[in-house]
Amino acid sequence: MKFQDREVIVFAGDSVTDADKYNTGDRIGTGYVKLIRDALTAFEPQNLYKIVNAGISGDNSADLLARWDKDVDAYAPDTVFCMIGINDVWRHFDELDPHKPLISEEDYEKNLREICKRAKKYKRFFLITPYFLERNRQDEMRMLTERYVQRLYRVAEENGVPVLDAQKAFDEYMLSRAGQSISWDRVHPGPVGSMILARLILKG
Amino acid sequence: MKFQDREVIVFAGDSVTDADKYNTGDRIGTGYVKLIRDALTAFEPQNLYKIVNAGISGDNSADLLARWDKDVDAYAPDTVFCMIGINDVWRHFDELDPHKPLISEEDYEKNLREICKRAKKYKRFFLITPYFLERNRQDEMRMLTERYVQRLYRVAEENGVPVLDAQKAFDEYMLSRAGQSISWDRVHPGPVGSMILARLILKG
Amino acid sequence: MKFQDREVIVFAGDSVTDADKYNTGDRIGTGYVKLIRDALTAFEPQNLYKIVNAGISGDNSADLLARWDKDVDAYAPDTVFCMIGINDVWRHFDELDPHKPLISEEDYEKNLREICKRAKKYKRFFLITPYFLERNRQDEMRMLTERYVQRLYRVAEENGVPVLDAQKAFDEYMLSRAGQSISWDRVHPGPVGSMILARLILKG
Amino acid sequence: MKFQDREVIVFAGDSVTDADKYNTGDRIGTGYVKLIRDALTAFEPQNLYKIVNAGISGDNSADLLARWDKDVDAYAPDTVFCMIGINDVWRHFDELDPHKPLISEEDYEKNLREICKRAKKYKRFFLITPYFLERNRQDEMRMLTERYVQRLYRVAEENGVPVLDAQKAFDEYMLSRAGQSISWDRVHPGPVGSMILARLILKG
Amino acid sequence: MKFQDREVIVFAGDSVTDADKYNTGDRIGTGYVKLIRDALTAFEPQNLYKIVNAGISGDNSADLLARWDKDVDAYAPDTVFCMIGINDVWRHFDELDPHKPLISEEDYEKNLREICKRAKKYKRFFLITPYFLERNRQDEMRMLTERYVQRLYRVAEENGVPVLDAQKAFDEYMLSRAGQSISWDRVHPGPVGSMILARLILKG
Amino acid sequence: MKFQDREVIVFAGDSVTDADKYNTGDRIGTGYVKLIRDALTAFEPQNLYKIVNAGISGDNSADLLARWDKDVDAYAPDTVFCMIGINDVWRHFDELDPHKPLISEEDYEKNLREICKRAKKYKRFFLITPYFLERNRQDEMRMLTERYVQRLYRVAEENGVPVLDAQKAFDEYMLSRAGQSISWDRVHPGPVGSMILARLILKG
Amino acid sequence: MKFQDREVIVFAGDSVTDADKYNTGDRIGTGYVKLIRDALTAFEPQNLYKIVNAGISGDNSADLLARWDKDVDAYAPDTVFCMIGINDVWRHFDELDPHKPLISEEDYEKNLREICKRAKKYKRFFLITPYFLERNRQDEMRMLTERYVQRLYRVAEENGVPVLDAQKAFDEYMLSRAGQSISWDRVHPGPVGSMILARLILKG
Amino acid sequence: MKFQDREVIVFAGDSVTDADKYNTGDRIGTGYVKLIRDALTAFEPQNLYKIVNAGISGDNSADLLARWDKDVDAYAPDTVFCMIGINDVWRHFDELDPHKPLISEEDYEKNLREICKRAKKYKRFFLITPYFLERNRQDEMRMLTERYVQRLYRVAEENGVPVLDAQKAFDEYMLSRAGQSISWDRVHPGPVGSMILARLILKG
């Protein structure tokens, strides 16, 4: 993936993107966004990019949609990467707040569709699939994740949006090691998972 | 389960038992051992018990065996509960230290057998099964856990040791909710899982 | 005591209920409310409850009444447990603030009557007696507590409100051990007293 | 009570004497020993005294006796004040460590007798009674305290040792206010109780 | 000095009175006001007093006058003790802020006169002299302090206000020991100086 | 560069390698060693490597030589990367400790020669050049660095040791941006410089 | 340089002047302003000066101009020293924020000209040159700094403003030692550089 | 005063010299030794000096003598400055530890004489007078200080040791401002006093 000099690049998402950014002075976090920013600076020093981490921990697709104008659009981005949905899935399993509404598959699809609509004005827009670091395809959270991912693919196709398949990238890794070697909770990617995500995006 | 006045009761295990005990003034931790100690004090005030938390975070069956004499036997216990094995299983998945030897099923069985041998002198001795908070029985870590549990049952039977089946207690819970509602990593039990373990033991 | 799926349950009271809730992330505290919440989650996972800790340290019956609408009624509860009064009694003994008015037995009765009036709209409403962890019935603070408890019983009877007798539950415990084995100040219940209160309520 | 220039004065006891002395730079604590030291400096500046706080929190009479030579005698004191015994009583009620032996009335008497024997070499030696801040004389802990105090009087009489009656000084106070206005646990004296103890000693 | 039950007593002054009161939960500080409050509670438990520490560190007589209505009068006191002036003197020597106006002897007298005028409505009002802990009467700061004290006596006489002479109380002490044994800076009284001030006031 | 499964890889050097490793739980630091470790895990999960960070902040070539046996050889490494020398140069400019001997070019050459000798037993051994992030080739510290680098090349050639030229990799970067965009002190590489070093090594 | 009694002296600038002033109680910082303030107090005690540190870390000439009225003029100074410009230069090299406009030489000249205009009302006004602690005159940041300094001289001459040449003072030092012996980043002066700046100003 | 390149310079003394050196990374402290070290580096960069702060807070002349060999002589100094004695004087006034022996004038003289004897081997040796920041020459601590200073002069003369008169330097300052403008306790010099001491020494 090639970027233009002075390009504004926004990464929208949840805690996978956020990566503790409020504890880093430059608000870039410690995850894949940082690796991408550092690699672009190191290997393409002739260009300057403005890179924005627009991830917020805990967000589901409805939360992201609600803050899209303020947190993404306000930067007038050239390129936007959007990875959202694992919290839509996860809350069906851990029920952290039983009185907050769950996001059904239909809600998820609707939210993504609205996001795609707003993203039409950007030069480039990518959806990245949510993923679950479990290689057993019969795992119930993995299966539910995959149903949400199917919705994502459907919306992407309708809107002509390219998809970066994070689940597939991790599946390749999980041919050799269990997802737990990356992360106990099988969602937060840690340094190894961030490497995999950064490469996925940079190879685009 | 009934205890005698002045009985010495030791809980041997890993981090599920330990429950951060070195950060609690009375070295009881914040987990199921504490609930049992408090409940016995509250509901059987006529008796005094000496309750020892002999769990150490990160221990596998070989680690526990190596410190058995010092950490369990030295208290001259009347009753011992022993729940060990999930780290034997887990390390096959997260490979925290590739240069420390893994504990195979056979090793696990051998370690348990030696523990049972040393436990013959106690008035009462119980094995509690390790467990994995995943209701999908095709999950690979659950499947491996179950193979270790079968070993545990075999050793228990040989030695006439009663077994408390923690996996079964959690399976009942997981008919209604996913294991992730108890714990993101599906092992550390948190307050809800500790309740289930405490009841399992007290109902004996 | 059985609760319905999706039931909203509020515990109103003083520091015995509060149990340091502002230092716990989920605002549930570390006392009997937490034990009840954890036990209900562990043993009735098929249901979801909304559980609210509406205790405030230091409150007497007048303080609780003053914040009833905001702190209790605003949650539209199905079931409310109310344990208040020990600070009404205590201030006669330690006189922490000689310029704040003391709550006489008559005031206490009047405040409780008003609380019962406001509670008529809830499906279920319980009064829990204040208590003093002193088995000597000639102790002056115990004697004064009992006079306040008599007022509570009178108001409960007038309004058809069921009473859970915490003093009686502790008296049973104190047949075997002094109240000081639970608490140096004979009021704050600690883990053992919280166990006794949680069982009292859950057995209802 | 008058002291001589250059006199060495030791206060032996438990937490009432200790008063958090390890958190004060001069190892004098924040209790009655500090008030006495400050008052002697302020009102008798023409003399210099060496004042030693030899209280240790949690000590009973056996603990004090065990460290008498090291903590009291090693200072070659001219005058010693000794107030010990409330922990001998208290442990019968709160049972903090059920496996540590309780100190019976007989043990207490024996320990005090040995202390008096060792104190024969000092110019002046005073016993101060333990006390319980409960004005109800039927309170069981008060009653037990009084039995220990009777033992103390018996030993004092045998050895011709003068007694300073702290219980009596507090009883006078408690004609007006409950003991809880001094201390929730009715043992640790706080600033008001320390005033009463300091006056008791200085008036000697 | 005798106080009436329910009497409101205010101590107005500078850091000698303040004594770090904002770091003490009860806003009483650690100085002579605390000793007086504790002694009155300990030795006159039959009465209740409301005791207010109205000292502010760094205040001179102009500062105190400016906040008199809000900090003293607002409490509707029965009895007021006022010790102010050492900062009026001190700033001539350490010149902490060369752009803040110094308080001349005439200003000091004028400020005290206005304070006495406002104090006419109180049942009892006492002036306490500022002091300097230097026994050499030719010391320049001591000499200047004495000139301010003469002004204080003049104002007191005009208004029939009794004076408590702190300098004299300390001079008695300094017959035996240098002022530096109380305080390196010869102003802040520490525990020994607070004892002397508390006795001065209580003996009235 | 390809590594074998179970290969032991040691990185020897100074603070560029160390990268604050004593503040990271896994002793890997936050620099290029971490990037390499994470990338190898992410992209070659089928293999396990033991990766050792043997950098110590402040070391010059004499310091590294002195601890070689203990810190490098003791791991029985298969592959060793060694980047040392910038502190040999730097101390000529900042003279942090005027009484510690400076390392001349001749000393540097001699130390490297001894290191190469000890490294003969490893399967693979690489020298990485020290570097200075200044693109002006007339800068005096850069010029001195280059003279040390020439010594390194001479020793490498004599011993048949391959060289990874870090200076050259940074020079390429500095065609577009000043060295100060990587690091204020032009030595410590920060995240961007670590990226460049990690790529240099992985591309081998 | 001589100052008048009661003179108000303001130092305007960037982090070289600021020197962490918000972490020093008197807002004077730890740099050359502190040394000047202390030396004036020590060696001219007969005078009082009001000395204001108006440096803000990170400021360039545009930032300083924008806050001139509020931060400099508002003190009604008699004498002002102004050292600004190194951040105007530096940002061309480290590009900390690619989307904040750089200050060209022309901008710098224009900003200084406006500052001189506003400074006409002060009794005395001095410009101090920015500097770079690099003795190699071919260094690109040094060369750029010198071009900005030429602009400063041009503006000073037009306005009849005296210039204190900090670069020259440091060049003298750098005849003997590299600039890195003062500061790794060759800008922040540390204790040694602050000495040099303080002497430059005091010798005026 | 001129120093030679590579000269070893030791400052021996008490807290005036020490100046919190154990909280500064370079063990130089924050007082006059630091100012001298920084000034020598700044203004004589062509030379390198080894400067040792050998002050210890609280030391009197006996304490310094006891550690002379270890703390001064062990550095093989070329030049030694020794300022000791104010604690010998001070303890007569504040009596911090009534059981530690006071240092009489005779003891002081004897200790200094022994120090001079040991200092004979150094190229240069200077005594600096202790001082008291009180301009009133009738102040009792000042008068006692002066008697100790007379002893110092006598010993210096006998041994041909030059004296730097710190008291005189401060007296000049105190013509304009009180000693309290430097220091509340009139001993610790703070930043202004350290300036005066540094100039005294550097002007030698």
Side-chain angles (χ1 to χ4, degrees), chain E residues 144-156:
Chain E
L144 191 60
T145 305
E146 284 179 0
R147 282 160 58 188
Y148 279 67
V149 167
Q150 285 169 8
R151 300 283 179 152
L152 179 149
Y153 266 106
R154 185 186 310 171
V155 174

Side-chain angles (χ1 to χ4, degrees), chain H residues 15-27:
Chain H
S15 63
V16 173
T17 300
D18 177 319
D20 202 26
K21 75 167 183 266
Y22 290 112
N23 285 325
T24 54
D26 52 10
R27 294 290 186 263

Side-chain angles (χ1 to χ4, degrees), chain C residues 32-62:
Chain C
Y32 75 86
V33 179
K34 176 179 167 57
L35 287 173
I36 288 170
R37 197 252 337 241
D38 292 346
L40 288 177
T41 309
F43 306 139
E44 304 181 14
Q46 69 283 5
N47 292 340
L48 289 172
Y49 308 114
K50 181 169 187 69
I51 292 178
V52 177
N53 181 331
I56 295 283
S57 285
D59 267 18
N60 59 29
S61 60

